[in-house]
Amino acid sequence: MSKVKKKVIKIDLEKCNGCRACEVICSAFHAKPQYSSNNPARSRIRIVRDPLRDIYLPVYAGEYTKAECSGKDKYVIEGKEYSECDFCRASCPSRDLFKEPDSGLPLKCDMCEDDPEQKEPMCVQWCLSDCLTYEEIEEEAEEKIKLEDVEIGLESLVDKYGFQKVMDAAARMTKKD
Amino acid sequence: MRYAETGYNLEIDLSRGNIERVETDPKWTELYLGGLGTNAKILWDRVPPETEPFSPDNLLIFSTGLLCGTPAVGSNRTIVSTFSPQTQLMAYSMMGGFFAPELKYAGYDKVIFRGKSPNLVYVWINNAKVEIRDASHLRGKGAVETQELIRKELKDPNAQVAAIGLAGENRVFYASIEQGRSSASRQGIGAVMGDKGLKAIAVRGTKDINVARPTEFLELCNEVLKYIQWRNENPIKNVEPIFQGLGSPQEMAIIDEKWHTTGFMWGNARTRRKDFWNKEAEEQWKQTQESVRTRLISCYNCPMKCGALISVPGISNYMMKCYTKLTYTMAAMSDLEFGFRIAQRATEYGVDGYSTPQVIAFALELYEAGILTDQDMPGMPTGTEERFYWLLDRIVRREGIGDVLANGTHWAAKAIGKGAEAYAHNNIKKHEQLPLKLGMLNPVYFLMYCTGEKINITQIEGQFPQEPFAAKEQREEFVKDWLQVPDEKFKQYFLDWDPRGEHSNPYYPTIQATCEIVDWMERMHYIDDALGVCAGLSSFPLKPPYHMHNYPSFISSGAGIAMDEAGLTQVARRNRTLIRAVNIRKGMRRADEKPPEDHWRKRFPELEEKLLDEYYKFKGWDHQGIPTKASLRELDLAYVADDLEQRGIIRNEQG
Ligand code: SF4
Ligand code: SF4
Ligand code: SF4
Ligand code: SF4
């Protein structure tokens, strides 16, 4: 069993002051040439904010998704209502978050692995209130490989038979159990 | 390519419903930088002095500063400029928050309104798409409520909205413009907005802002951030808590209010309560503040979180910053709980937190004195707190006595007569000031109060400590890392400044040193107001991260304009002189340049005259405070000199 380093950004919602410095620096860091421009609409972290209801939720851009979810649940946390999408990292057709404003191409947080390699992600460096902190944790590597195996396998099945057929087959298998 | 700025203004004629996007002249940026500087230029060029503030020909300008929208920390100011119905002079009020950067991302440096809309409207700026929309359904709605309703209506939670409340709609002379956690409150610019039939502006932008030399610019930003962090960990010693840190006064964070409550005046700026702050008061106020303060919040791209979300049980949430926390409390001789409660209603109405409580306390004093009677105040309740609500409601509706009071203490006193003028005692140039009454004349403050074009001390002062330090060693420690001084001599002025004796107020700092200190302080403010950087990180607190030595590089690497300290000093002088000229053309003269009569108990008429004389000379102004032809020419303001000469304001013999 080997161990791998995993990069984790911890988000402490209590400490967010809503300044959006994280958005500023992320978009500047990823500008070409680097820092030549900035535009929060291009940031890979966005603050979902509703100041009068005390909602400040930093969300990182994750995977691109082709279709939006059908059901959207609501969460109530300490009296504040969030939609499921508020927590979601997807660059999704249901919203304009995590998309290049002109081309609509999806954006994804890359942990600032662009060059030059940073000691900490830029958004963390610019978050002086410690809402965002960075840690590297060690994780067992095998499980991750297994997951990836399954994913690769599934992907190939999907490629071969199409998504719907695979899903149907999986549904039938679950029913048999 | 234009750097830091977009190079475009929006021109909106509300009478004709016409919207134009106009490219600006880059030469203007070199001369005036942007923000307040270019606002003043536009007002000079386009609003002749005969224009009444409530004329359709008056302009209302919402401007970003040159650095707004760049990664420069804390550059988020919206500089709103027009002519004030209260002072009849140029008004420029600024707000932080999120509006200016959003406007930049939408592709504009300024929005310039002229004309008057026949119906109440709001403007929606969504990148290139700009529309004037009906706002009749928003009539009478609160300023905070309106922002929410518009965001819902536009289905854009990220739109930034600046709105007026009932006070602005009814042209109350101290109506504010509210925006998120911020407001542009002073000098009645909300009234001009209401007069134009403009309920709100909503803006959303998703375009880039470019900087000229990216790596260098970002390095400077990182240095500022590092310094802020260091300053936050190393508060300044030997000063009151309010002076220790950065930011606009940290009223939302600070509980200890000894300095304000025992040093500032209560009621109609008259009663000092030296013993007010005791253990019991502290306990009670701490409890109140902590129970209503939900979260400390920042403006765009700034870590200082000077504002707060306030949630008082039973009324809707609102946001607050700065000294409004105490103004209602102290004017009503009440407690903090009352202050937080009434401020919610006042914020929805959209009124200035400095002037409003003073106007109400003034009215109540007139009532006590029998100058205002039951006939003027039919149905007024008996308790002071209830009376505050009652009068506030009437003022913003201009009902009965409220209609008179809505013009501020100066104009109200004139209208009421019967000796009421003596009760409007805390004004400069017809505008209500901080309720502060002191003993010994401070020459530096004397000049700032008299001559500051902003007519508001907190937006003129900063940099140089308000009082001398008692011990020599304390002073030596203070100057050790005082890197912000533009010249080493300022350290000596401070080292030599004693609380008592030969080297103390009012004769020390010397007249020359006083002029230089004032010049430094206002210079920093004029630079901030052109760049759109919050004074809380620059001109206002002691030892700020932005100063004369790093600003030139911010401008050259950010905007691509060659700039050094001498050049920047020249721009600040130009802007300061231009605004002075605007006001001179409006009729302002030496006789208007006075502090509130009773601001200091000990006055020195001869010295005061000398201070004004020398300061005017230092600035290149004549005996009346009018810029001379030569000094205007030297500042590339020959067109101002010509105009003033044509009008006979500058006399030929001046040279
Ligand atoms: S920088 Fe930190 S405090 Fe500011 S909005 Fe981002 S997460 Fe919140
Ligand atoms: S944003 Fe996320 S949760 Fe919302 S619809 Fe899209 S994928 Fe589903
Ligand atoms: S980790 Fe880097 S890429 Fe990801 S959001 Fe933060 S700044 Fe952007
Ligand atoms: S210092 Fe305070 S008021 Fe100024 S920009 Fe920062 S948070 Fe806003």
Side-chain angles (χ1 to χ4, degrees), chain A residues 65 67-72 84-86 88-90 92-95:
Chain A
T65 175
E68 67 181 278
C69 309
S70 46
K72 283 176 205 162
E84 193 172 23
C85 299
D86 290 346
C88 178
R89 300 166 62 109
C92 158
S94 75
R95 58 184 186 182

Side-chain angles (χ1 to χ4, degrees), chain A residues 37-92:
Chain A
S37 68
N38 88 100
N39 177 358
R42 292 185 202 279
S43 171
R44 294 120 198 257
I45 175 172
R46 296 307 301 272
I47 308 300
V48 173
R49 50 202 298 282
D50 187 350
L52 278 180
R53 270 160 287 283
D54 194 39
I55 287 177
Y56 292 93
L57 186 65
V59 187
Y60 284 87
E63 298 303 326
Y64 158 75
T65 175
K66 263 190 244 169
E68 67 181 278
C69 309
S70 46
K72 283 176 205 162
D73 299 331
K74 295 212 164 186
Y75 291 82
V76 178
I77 305 169
E78 291 183 340
K80 300 176 218 167
E81 193 178 287
Y82 300 84
S83 99
E84 193 172 23
C85 299
D86 290 346
F87 295 95
C88 178
R89 300 166 62 109
S91 174
C92 158

Side-chain angles (χ1 to χ4, degrees), chain B residues 74 76-77 181 247-248 297-299 302 304-306 534 536-537:
Chain B
N76 51 44
R77 256 46 200 170
R181 64 171 289 300
S248 71
I297 43 184
S298 275
C299 303
C302 176
M304 290 313 299
K305 47 183 184 219
C306 310
C534 174
L537 294 177

Side-chain angles (χ1 to χ4, degrees), chain A residues 51-54, chain B residues 251-253 288-297 306-313 315-321 325 336-337 339-344 347:
Chain A
L52 278 180
R53 270 160 287 283
D54 194 39
Chain B
E251 283 299 293
M252 297 299 107
T288 303
Q289 189 159 329
E290 286 175 351
S291 70
V292 302
R293 187 186 62 195
T294 310
R295 182 188 296 262
L296 293 175
I297 43 184
C306 310
L309 176 66
I310 305 293
S311 321
V312 183
I315 53 180
S316 50
N317 286 353
Y318 70 106
M319 289 176 265
M320 180 189 257
K321 73 275 154 196
K325 172 182 146 193
L336 196 55
E337 153 93 21
F340 279 121
R341 263 185 194 282
I342 194 167
Q344 187 269 343
T347 307

Side-chain angles (χ1 to χ4, degrees), chain A residues 9 22-23 25-27 29-30 42-46 59-61 89 98 108-114 118 120-125 132 134:
Chain A
I9 295 173
C22 47
E23 297 180 1
I25 194 61
C26 178
S27 64
F29 182 75
H30 290 93
R42 292 185 202 279
S43 171
R44 294 120 198 257
I45 175 172
R46 296 307 301 272
V59 187
Y60 284 87
R89 300 166 62 109
F98 304 139
K108 189 182 166 194
C109 166
D110 61 5
M111 290 304 246
C112 296
E113 276 167 355
D114 278 26
Q118 298 292 311
E120 278 188 339
M122 296 307 292
C123 53
V124 173
Q125 289 186 41
L132 309 175
Y134 176 69

